[in-house]
Amino acid sequence: MVGLFSNPKRRLRKLIQEGEYAEALRFGKSLEKKYSYDPDWFFIIGTIYYINGDAENTLSYLDKVLEISEYDIEALLLKASVYLHLKNKEEALDCCEKIRKIDPKNKAIDEILNELED
């Protein structure tokens, strides 16, 4: 059990798995200084906001991921999904184009593009 608490990101993921989103967010935000240059941490926090339906904060954290790691496909996919939900077709397409340049055979883009066509 000691290992769980010596790795804060593991604890954060466990809280999310258990559906403890408010606690995960509180705990995650307390780690912000320590992980201020960690794209995984930003992605985890952005995902919590996504689960909670907070598009603005989700996009903010995903942008931080992409500032550090501009080719992060998972961040780009999640960002495209948020823009799709917000009905911002142009931004969603922009994310899909970036993904296509990185990974031309990515299947997840096809789902997003199909939804954009509907």
Side-chain angles (χ1 to χ4, degrees):
M1 192 66 143
V2 173
L4 178 65
F5 296 104
S6 66
N7 187 333
K9 288 193 289 187
R10 187 176 301 143
R11 178 173 178 218
L12 192 53
R13 286 185 183 101
K14 183 163 177 48
L15 288 168
I16 295 167
Q17 282 180 329
E18 294 172 349
E20 300 291 335
Y21 306 123
E23 176 61 26
L25 200 52
R26 274 191 295 279
F27 178 66
K29 297 289 277 179
S30 76
L31 302 170
E32 193 158 7
K33 284 184 182 179
K34 180 178 181 179
Y35 291 102
S36 62
Y37 297 102
D38 185 334
D40 291 334
W41 179 84
F42 284 119
F43 187 83
I44 294 167
I45 299 299
T47 301
I48 297 168
Y49 280 117
Y50 178 78
I51 291 167
N52 285 328
D54 185 338
E56 184 178 331
N57 278 315
T58 300
L59 291 172
S60 173
Y61 279 89
L62 293 176
D63 285 341
K64 291 175 184 181
V65 171
L66 294 168
E67 284 175 18
I68 298 167
S69 179
E70 68 179 302
Y71 302 112
D72 188 311
I73 292 176
E74 294 302 315
L76 286 166
L77 282 170
L78 187 54
K79 191 173 177 178
S81 294
V82 171
Y83 281 127
L84 179 66
H85 173 74
L86 295 174
K87 304 209 184 313
N88 187 332
K89 187 175 183 175
E90 186 177 314
E91 292 292 339
L93 284 172
D94 183 53
C95 292
C96 290
E97 288 172 12
K98 289 177 183 175
I99 296 166
R100 188 75 74 200
K101 287 178 185 175
I102 300 165
D103 181 10
K105 296 180 181 180
N106 189 297
K107 299 288 184 204
I109 302 171
D110 296 333
E111 293 177 29
I112 293 170
L113 292 173
N114 286 338
E115 287 192 46
L116 284 171
E117 291 175 1
D118 291 342

